[in-house]
Amino acid sequence: MARTEQVLVLEPQHELKFRGPFTDVVTATLKLTNPTDRNVCFKVKTTAPRRYCVRPNSGIIDAGTSINVSVMLQPFDYDPNEKSKHKFMVQSMLAPYDMTDMEGVWKEAKPEELMDSKLRCTFEMPLENDKTHESESNKIVSSSASSVKTDHSVLPKSASASLDDGEVKKIMEECKRLQMEVQRLREENIQIREDDGLRKRRVAPMSAPHSSSTMVTSTVRDEGLSTRVLALCVLFFVIGVIIGKLAL
């Protein structure tokens, strides 16, 4: 008596492809879909049970749902001249409405109630171009990672060799204070110039005796300006020395 046609939809339908290298476990996925309005029991069998690990290898697929089966090929020495003779079979049957024991159902199932689909296995090794491209990509990633690691390792070393964090903080605070001092002196210098200009304009209409006293006052102011300019030069020199230490 002819077997019932398989009700499950398999993806892929006829062939499981395993892509090397095979020095580690290689996994292929088999999708089983139940398009019917009945629950379906299934089993996955293979001609090489020691070479594969299948999860899940049996179960029930509810009506209108699907399940992914992972087929894991164990590591082995690949021979390109040897053709794979491994095969898989997906066996299924409609689940009884009153099912309580799935193992008992399989044992009591009649041959005409069983449905099966067979798949062959194929092994593929990556092409040489793919290997070269993958190797170059790994080298680029490795080189980038090492360069980033080197940059991060050099910067803290140079900083710690010159100044520690406490000294750097003190120097930066001193720089800020000196900058504020310079700004204050600049403002005072501008104010002094404005005051001198205003006094000169007021003194101009006055008599000659008063002009001599104005010249004395102007001379004193000029001396004050020269002193402040000298102070500014010293401050800028100190700031330059501090910045030079930080750069080292």
Side-chain angles (χ1 to χ4, degrees), residues 5-40:
E5 185 179 356
Q6 178 68 270
V7 295
L8 296 179
V9 178
L10 280 65
E11 297 179 27
Q13 292 183 349
H14 307 294
E15 188 176 76
L16 285 174
K17 293 183 179 181
F18 296 89
R19 186 175 177 83
F22 301 102
T23 55
D24 200 356
V25 175
V26 179
T27 303
T29 301
L30 174 63
K31 184 178 181 181
L32 305 178
T33 302
N34 177 12
T36 69
D37 56 358
R38 294 272 304 274
N39 293 346
V40 175

Side-chain angles (χ1 to χ4, degrees), residues 11 22 39 93 108-109 125 171 205 222 225 247:
E11 297 179 27
F22 301 102
N39 293 346
M93 63 177 293
E108 298 173 2
M125 285 296 291
I171 292 174
D222 291 339
L225 289 175

Side-chain angles (χ1 to χ4, degrees), residues 107-140:
K107 291 179 181 180
E108 298 173 2
K110 298 177 182 180
E112 61 269 18
E113 295 176 343
L114 300 178
M115 300 167 282
D116 59 66
S117 300
K118 295 180 180 180
L119 301 94
R120 63 179 181 273
C121 299
T122 59
F123 302 149
E124 296 180 353
M125 285 296 291
L127 299 176
E128 291 299 326
N129 292 338
D130 295 341
K131 288 183 179 179
T132 304
H133 179 71
E134 183 177 358
S135 176
E136 290 178 353
S137 299
N138 291 335
K139 288 181 180 179
I140 292 173

